[in-house]
Structures are given as C-alpha cells and as structure tokens.
Amino acid sequence: MSVAWWVVLLSMAGAIAGSFLSTIVVRWPEDRSVLHGRSTCDGCGRTLAAWELVPIVSALAARGRCRACGARIDPLHLGFELGCAAIGGVSALAAPGLAGVAGALFGWLLLTLAALDAAELWLPDPLVIALALAGVLSAFCAPPSLIDRLTGGAAGFATLWAVARGYRRLRGREGLGGGDPKLFGAIGLWLGWRMLPAVLLLAGLVGLGLVLFQSLRGRAIAADDALPFGTFLAVAAYPAWLVMVSVAR
C-alpha cells in the first residue's frame, strides 16, 4: 500500500480514536462510564443519533452546539479528533506500515495522558499500563530492539523514582507525582534507553517555557505549585519517536 493510502487510513482511524479518547478525558474524572450506554448530550441528556457522531464532520456541522438544547459542546471533542487525525497522518508519513500504526497508537495514548494530567494532575494506571504493554508488543514491528526497550523501561522508571525519593528526603514534601516515574518507564518501553535523556531535557524545556509564559502574563508560579510534568513528558516523547524512526529509515 502506498504512503498516501497509509496517511488517509491512519488519519481516519485517528479521528475515530479521538472521538472515543476525548470521551475518556471528559467523563473518567467525573466517574462516568465511557463503555456502557449510548452517547448523550452533556447538557440535556438527549441520546445522540448516529449521524451526530461522525468524527470532525458532525462537530463542524453542529457549530459547537447541541441541536436540541443549544448547550455548548466541549471543544475538547473536536480538538481530540483533529489532534488524533494529525498524529495518525504524521505517523504514517514517518513510518508507513505497521510501524506507523504503532507510532500512531503511541501518540494517541500520550495525548490522552497529557490531557488528563493537564486537567486533573492524574495519570491513570490503566492507561499507563496500556501504553507500557503496547510499547513491548510494538518491538516486533518497529525499532528499537526489545532489549533496548526493556532497558529503557527500567531506566526511565528508576530515574524519576530516584529523583522523587531524593527530593522528598531533602525537602520533606512531594516533588513528583507517583504516576510520573511510571509514565517515563512506559515511554522508555517505546523509545529505548538512548532517547530518554533527550525526552527528559525537552520535557524540562517545555515546563520552563510554560512557567515563562505564565510569568509574562503576570501570573507568578510559586515553588510549591503543582505542574503537570506527565504532560511535559508526553509532549516530548512523540517528537522523539518521530526522530527515532526517521533516523532508523
């Protein structure tokens, strides 16, 4: 199959995946089921028709409002559909075939975890475990080798676990959330140990950029303010995958 067809296929798959993943981000923190029952309007509870659930197209046609009650549809849904479609297309361009499918899955899960951490400072274990397991399985269709991945998983977890433990002993308070070492370990299972320093550096730069941006807006960030470091790691990890597969090709 040509590269163009892979781009179309994974872009469409991304839009569909984004529709489901956005529901997870919106409903899971509210302890609402995402697996049972039909999709409904968050404003009036009306069951949505099939034609109202077409990714991207339905949201644009509705102009961001429920056609029955006029309630505003959370723009996160459309944003996720567009974001996941873009991730699918870029992954296919970077690595057509099964490697691109794996990379798209990597990006989709990272985007979901980034959104949850940014909104709730929460990295759910089931999603992190899914990311980790997919990383191990993808070793059979994409670089790096399984040994490099397993080493990366152990190194990623151990590095941030040691940082968190050391900070707690020195400062007497938590410096990293408990999910951050797990997420970094899962990322290591995708990228291998060689890419981890670059991911950590880029994540730190993203965090510093956010702090600088907030300062320019007149909002000072205190030393004990919580920042979503998991989001920074997720944002840094997908570009690292793109660089890795591009070099491998």
Side-chain angles (χ1 to χ4, degrees):
M1 190 160 56
S2 68
V3 174
W5 277 112
W6 277 112
V7 171
V8 171
L9 179 63
L10 284 183
S11 295
M12 292 176 61
I16 295 169
S19 180
F20 173 70
L21 294 173
S22 65
T23 303
I24 289 179
V25 174
V26 171
R27 294 185 181 180
W28 202 354
E30 300 174 357
D31 201 26
R32 296 161 58 197
S33 174
V34 297
L35 298 177
H36 300 96
R38 297 184 61 184
S39 297
T40 61
C41 170
D42 291 330
C44 63
R46 178 180 62 87
T47 299
L48 301 179
W51 64 267
E52 294 178 285
L53 299 174
V54 180
I56 300 177
V57 176
S58 294
L60 294 176
R63 298 181 179 180
R65 298 280 178 179
C66 172
R67 67 181 179 87
C69 68
R72 178 174 174 268
I73 299 172
D74 194 327
L76 186 97
H77 293 290
L78 178 59
F80 249 75
E81 291 167 5
L82 291 171
C84 287
I87 288 171
V90 170
S91 299
L93 283 172
L98 291 179
V101 174
L105 178 60
F106 183 47
W108 298 336
L109 289 173
L110 286 174
L111 181 61
T112 307
L113 286 161
L116 284 168
D117 199 38
E120 305 290 336
L121 294 176
W122 181 43
L123 295 168
D125 281 345
L127 280 181
V128 176
I129 291 171
L131 184 69
L133 291 176
V136 173
L137 293 175
S138 67
F140 299 100
C141 64
S145 69
L146 181 59
I147 295 298
D148 280 357
R149 290 170 185 260
L150 294 176
T151 303
F157 175 82
T159 298
L160 288 194
W161 180 86
V163 170
R165 184 174 177 84
Y167 186 93
R168 185 167 61 248
R169 288 177 65 88
L170 288 173
R171 302 298 298 273
R173 64 172 185 261
E174 298 293 335
L176 281 176
D180 294 328
K182 300 173 189 176
L183 175 59
F184 200 39
I187 290 171
L189 289 171
W190 276 90
L191 302 179
W193 62 272
R194 292 178 178 85
M195 295 297 294
L196 291 183
V199 171
L200 197 56
L201 174 61
L202 183 55
L205 292 175
V206 171
L208 288 174
L210 175 63
V211 171
L212 178 60
F213 176 73
Q214 296 284 36
S215 298
L216 292 175
R217 295 180 59 193
R219 182 184 181 277
I221 295 181
D224 58 350
D225 282 353
L227 293 174
F229 191 61
T231 298
F232 307 152
L233 288 173
V235 169
Y238 182 70
W241 178 84
L242 291 175
V243 170
M244 182 183 70
V245 296
S246 297
V247 171
R249 290 181 66 189

